[in-house]
């Protein structure tokens, strides 16, 4: 059993987006690869922006992706609770320890005073920072201010000189100037901890060995390292994964395509494809392969192969990859994935009969090559599920109105198909070939109008496949109805 423990620590302030899902995946992969534990921790100390609905959305998205966690709010183990708002006494205790050891202090500066101080510092040409007004208040004055001031925060006494070096598996040694670190707030005036403080306390108490997270947190790391050292904690290994940017290298946003896991789900991206795609956003297997099933990614995964450069999001590649997974997954799995789309469109009932399931499965089998995302599936296959399917006007003009022989050909096809005892591949194929020979026309002259009659379209899957899926009765009825409707008989 490995002692690796990694965590994904989302803030429930919105849907799970592509960046968060990728961070969760990399943590999950590392735990899988090393036989370690994957922990889900909820960073909900931003009480205003956190909500139970967002938390539910995060659970739903992770569960849909199959990124199951070993410990978390609903999987309690010895290191809980796993929700930060339930751990407030733990942070207070840690802050008290720092206060007692003279490593932290109460600060009574009001919001207005702080703004004024920042302004003065900025005007003197320095980066805005806290000036340390309350650093050395004598104990008696502290007690007095506690009674008279509106509120107070607890700040960490932080060195103003020297450098802090962060060692990151992906980025190597990164040096930060302590002058920029500020005496950061540990506990706010409302008693809630700040992100940096709570994160360090939890990472340590939850025995996290590797902190794998978004690059945007690299600049927080020197602060977190300092907090950890002051608390006497061991440092975890850090791995800051690169940003995900839009193709034009701008910040990724909705206009570049879907970005939340829920939106991908609604588009009809399947989890296996999304996981494969996400894994390659900033990680490389070391060989030029794109299609990698999850088991293989687990085998090949290493933190060292995560790239430093930003990953570029490419929705076309994602949908291409999804198309691949739709084409190659087990039919039963495809059916499960596709069913909700057909149910939502009212094409298949909420509790489908065995017959409905088999019919949809047969349709998917012959149509899956033509679908990239399941959201397209209902529209692409609609003529299999309704008798009032629309006819392509160009096709009608060319095949039915301008071609005088069509009526005769389709009438003959209908008769011949009706006469078939076994409506199976060879028999149907031979029957259609027989009509072409008998009427002395090319096979195309039979097949093209027949396809149009059966589907309303001039293109689609193999004609023979369409006939076999529709079956004899429905095929013949459609041909008869077309003859009548377009007055071809
Ligand atoms: N709650 C933080 C976030 O969602 C976690 C950052 C971290 O992993 O330390 O960005």
């Amino acid at each position: 059993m490995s002692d690796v423990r990694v965590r994904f620590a989302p803030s429930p302030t919105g849907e799970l987006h592509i960046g968060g899902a990728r961070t969760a995946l990399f943590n999950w992969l590392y735990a899988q690869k090393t036989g370690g534990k994957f922990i889900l921790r909820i960073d909900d100390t931003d009480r205003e922006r956190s909500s139970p609905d967002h938390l539910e959305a995060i659970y739903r998205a992770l569960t849909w992706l199959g990124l199951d966690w070993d410990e978390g709010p609903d999987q309690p183990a010895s290191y809980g609770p796993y929700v930060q708002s339930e751990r407030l006494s733990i942070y207070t205790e840690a802050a008290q320890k720092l206060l007692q050891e003279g490593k932290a202090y109460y600060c009574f500066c009001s919001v207005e005073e702080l703004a004024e101080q920042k302004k003065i510092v900025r005007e003197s040409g320095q980066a805005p920072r806290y000036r340390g007004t309350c650093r050395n208040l004598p104990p008696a004055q502290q007690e007095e201010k506690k009674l008279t001031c509106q509120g107070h925060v607890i700040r960490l006494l932080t060195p103003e000189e020297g450098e802090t070096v962060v060692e990151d598996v992906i980025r190597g040694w990164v040096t930060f100037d302590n002058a920029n670190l500020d005496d950061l707030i540990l506990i706010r005036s409302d008693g809630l901890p700040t992100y940096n403080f709570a994160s360090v306390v939890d990472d340590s108490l939850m025995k996290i060995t590797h902190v794998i997270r978004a690059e945007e947190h690299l600049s927080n790391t020197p602060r977190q390292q300092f907090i950890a050292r002051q608390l006497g904690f061991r440092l975890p290994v850090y791995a800051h994964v690169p940003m995900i940017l839009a193709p034009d290298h701008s910040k990724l946003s909705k206009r570049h395509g879907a970005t939340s896991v829920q939106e991908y789900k609604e588009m009809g991206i399947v989890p296996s494809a999304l996981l494969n795609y996400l894994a390659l956003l900033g990680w490389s297997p070391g060989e030029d392969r794109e299609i990698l099933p999850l088991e293989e990614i687990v085998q090949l995964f290493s933190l060292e192969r995560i790239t430093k450069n930003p990953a570029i999001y490419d929705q076309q590649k994602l949908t291409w990859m999804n198309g691949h997974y739709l084409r190659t997954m087990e039919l039963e799995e495809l059916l499960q994935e596709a069913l909700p789309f057909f149910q939502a469109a009212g094409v298949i009932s909420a509790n489908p009969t065995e017959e409905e399931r088999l019919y949809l499965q047969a349709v998917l089998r012959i149509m899956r090559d033509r679908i990239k995302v399941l959201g397209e599936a209902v529209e692409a296959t609609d003529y299999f599920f309704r008798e009032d399917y629309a006819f392509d006007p160009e096709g009608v003009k060319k095949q039915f109105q301008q071609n005088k022989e069509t009526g005769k050909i389709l009438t003959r096809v209908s008769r011949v198909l009706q006469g078939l005892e076994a409506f199976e591949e060879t028999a149907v194929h031979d029957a259609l070939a027989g009509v072409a020979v008998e009427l002395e026309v090319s096979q195309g002259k039979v097949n093209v109008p027949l396809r149009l009659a059966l589907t309303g379209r001039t293109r689609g899957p193999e004609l023979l496949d369409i006939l076999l899926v529709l079956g004899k009765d429905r095929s013949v009825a459609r041909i008869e109805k077309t003859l009548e409707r377009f007055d071809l008989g």
Side-chain angles (χ1 to χ4, degrees), residues 198-451:
S199 196
V200 169
V201 171
D202 288 348
D203 287 345
S204 172
L205 297 185
M206 293 180 180
K207 301 262 184 295
I208 301 302
T209 56
H210 295 71
V211 168
I212 305 166
R213 64 183 170 195
E215 183 184 352
E216 68 192 42
H217 290 294
L218 181 63
S219 60
N220 287 320
T221 311
R223 293 184 174 88
Q224 296 187 4
Q225 269 190 200
F226 187 66
I227 300 172
R229 288 211 178 97
Q230 294 302 75
L231 284 167
F233 293 158
R234 268 178 55 186
L235 297 183
V237 174
Y238 293 104
H240 286 91
V241 301
M243 314 242 292
I244 303 174
L245 298 179
D248 61 359
H249 289 231
S250 64
K251 192 168 176 285
L252 189 62
S253 71
K254 269 185 95 65
R255 75 192 157 91
H256 302 110
T259 58
S260 80
V261 171
Q262 178 63 21
E263 284 170 307
Y264 291 115
K265 185 178 170 193
E266 283 164 14
M267 266 172 76
I269 300 285
V270 289
S272 46
L274 188 54
L275 290 170
N276 187 159
Y277 181 73
L278 287 175
L280 297 179
L281 277 181
W283 171 80
S284 140
E287 42 188 303
D288 202 11
R289 283 172 60 203
E290 312 245 76
I291 301 292
L292 286 163
L294 196 57
E295 310 80 69
E296 257 187 86
I297 298 174
V298 169
Q299 290 309 315
L300 296 169
F301 192 75
S302 77
L303 296 179
E304 287 72 21
R305 294 213 72 93
I306 296 176
T307 56
K308 272 205 210 67
N309 297 334
I312 305 299
Y313 176 72
D314 178 350
Q315 179 133 334
Q316 263 185 352
K317 185 166 157 187
L318 170 61
T319 49
W320 164 80
M321 206 171 250
N322 198 60
H324 171 87
Y325 278 87
L326 294 184
R327 282 195 298 281
T328 52
M329 66 172 53
E330 293 289 328
L331 254 186
E332 181 53 32
E333 193 187 342
L334 179 60
L335 177 70
Q336 290 306 334
E337 295 288 353
L339 210 55
F341 290 86
F342 287 85
Q343 288 170 323
V347 174
I348 298 271
S349 50
N351 288 312
T353 60
E354 187 57 16
E355 196 186 342
E356 276 183 293
R357 290 173 65 90
L358 286 174
Y359 186 64
L360 177 56
Q361 198 174 58
V363 170
L364 290 170
R365 184 175 55 76
I366 67 168
M367 290 299 287
R368 57 156 101 184
D369 289 1
R370 320 183 80 81
I371 301 165
K372 283 213 172 71
V373 290
L374 287 170
E376 295 169 355
V378 175
E379 148 76 13
T381 61
D382 92 313
Y383 54 84
F384 283 102
F385 299 94
R386 55 196 294 174
E387 295 309 314
D388 61 344
Y389 48 92
F391 278 82
D392 167 37
E394 277 303 304
V396 168
K397 201 158 118 198
K398 217 164 143 204
Q399 299 301 327
F400 296 163
Q401 291 162 355
Q402 294 173 353
N403 189 344
K404 299 282 168 261
E405 291 181 306
T406 303
K408 189 171 79 183
I409 295 170
L410 288 184
T411 306
R412 189 68 199 132
V413 170
S414 174
R415 295 289 168 277
V416 169
L417 295 183
Q418 279 178 59
L420 287 181
E421 296 231 321
F423 201 77
E424 42 77 23
E425 197 171 339
T426 320
V428 177
H429 171 270
D430 292 351
L432 297 182
V435 172
V437 172
E438 184 192 331
L439 300 182
E440 295 182 351
V441 293
S442 69
Q443 196 64 52
K445 284 262 186 306
V446 176
N447 292 4
V448 178
L450 176 56
R451 171 189 293 282

Side-chain angles (χ1 to χ4, degrees), residues 159-165 175-181:
E160 289 178 325
E161 281 152 21
E163 291 174 335
T164 298
V165 178
T175 305
F176 295 86
D177 207 340
N178 289 345
N180 297 325
L181 295 188

